[in-house]
């Protein structure tokens, strides 16, 4: 006859058998909950990156205009783009495209074949200034920027310096056209450009008092008209802002360099 096990002992035995399984289920639930939080965090981060990629594309395509600052959630994205190599690779590719076009042009030999290059964030970089402005998330401060520019410490953008030297060597008259104020920033800008290797350009053109308060597009269009009236043939026009390459008297080709840090109307 089989020995009967007391009910109390049987209950204890069942609980002991179930304990490891219950503990495992508890751990699994906790792990899944933790993974859910991690997944949610990754999803949020991925969503921000996706938005910022789309935002930058819209900016560079000039579909988003007159934007006052970089969206706050894109500060890290813009920083990564600007300093981790992609910005430089984009510039290198664009300059190669420009040079392919340059190699297809033929100078007439009358010293009237011209190119126009913008200055800020085309020839020389303001990346160190904008680093302190959260890469464009802070509103533009003209006094602060003027103080920065007065130091004359903007580094050359290597790929554009290479383009500049090739244009000069080929015999093009290169005009550097900037919205910087002629009276307050003229000499320091000349010195900055010279110190960074921009030597041999035809003329540095700065904004005179006559264009104070005028849009960059209006100002630069008028300057290009003056150059064409003087007989220059503008083969190419390069800038980081759409206002550098829009308007009138644009020349034969325009080339837009990337700049997701600020917008100039």
């Amino acid at each position: 006859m089989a020995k009967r096990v007391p009910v109390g002992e049987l209950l204890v035995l069942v609980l002991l058998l179930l304990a490891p399984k219950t503990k495992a289920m508890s751990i699994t639930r906790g792990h899944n909950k933790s993974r859910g939080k991690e997944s949610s965090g990754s999803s949020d981060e991925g969503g921000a990156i996706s938005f910022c990629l789309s935002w930058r594309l819209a900016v560079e395509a000039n579909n988003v205009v007159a934007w006052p600052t970089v969206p706050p959630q894109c500060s890290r994205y813009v920083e990564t783009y600007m300093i981790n190599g992609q910005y430089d690779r984009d510039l290198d590719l664009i300059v190669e495209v420009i040079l392919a076009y340059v190699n297809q042009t033929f100078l007439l030999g009358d010293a009237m074949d011209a190119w126009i290059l913008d200055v800020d964030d085309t020839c020389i970089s303001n990346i160190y200034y904008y680093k302190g402005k959260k890469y464009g998330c802070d509103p533009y401060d003209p006094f602060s920027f003027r103080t920065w520019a007065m130091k004359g410490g903007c580094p050359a953008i290597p790929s554009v310096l290479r383009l500049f030297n090739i244009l000069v060597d080929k015999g093009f008259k290169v005009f550097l056209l900037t919205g910087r104020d002629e009276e307050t920033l003229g000499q320091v800008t000349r010195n900055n450009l010279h110190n960074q290797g921009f030597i041999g350009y035809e003329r540095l053109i700065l904004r005179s008092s006559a264009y104070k308060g005028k849009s960059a597009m209006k100002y630069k269009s008028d300057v290009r008209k003056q150059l064409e009236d003087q007989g220059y043939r503008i083969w190419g026009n390069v800038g980081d802002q759409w206002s550098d390459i829009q308007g009138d008297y644009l020349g034969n080709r325009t080339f837009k360099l990337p700049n997701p840090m600020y917008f100039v109307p």
Side-chain angles (χ1 to χ4, degrees), residues 50-68:
S50 179
F51 166 78
C52 295
L53 278 166
S54 298
W55 174 82
R56 188 175 71 82
L57 176 61
V59 162
E60 297 297 356
N62 205 33
N63 291 324
V64 175
V65 298
W67 44 281

Side-chain angles (χ1 to χ4, degrees), residues 97-159:
V97 171
I98 296 173
L99 289 174
Y101 164 69
V102 169
N103 290 333
Q104 296 172 358
T105 60
F106 298 93
L107 284 71
L108 297 185
D110 58 358
M112 300 304 286
D113 295 295
W115 273 76
I116 297 175
L117 304 183
D118 173 54
V119 174
D120 283 299
D121 295 298
T122 296
C123 291
I124 52 178
S125 173
N126 294 298
I127 186 66
Y128 297 125
Y129 170 78
Y130 278 96
K131 180 180 180 181
K133 298 297 180 181
K134 301 177 187 174
Y135 295 92
C137 287
D138 289 348
Y140 176 65
D141 179 353
F143 176 78
S144 174
F145 180 79
R146 185 166 60 251
T147 301
W148 154 260
M150 286 294 294
K151 297 176 182 178
C154 299
I157 294 178
S159 54

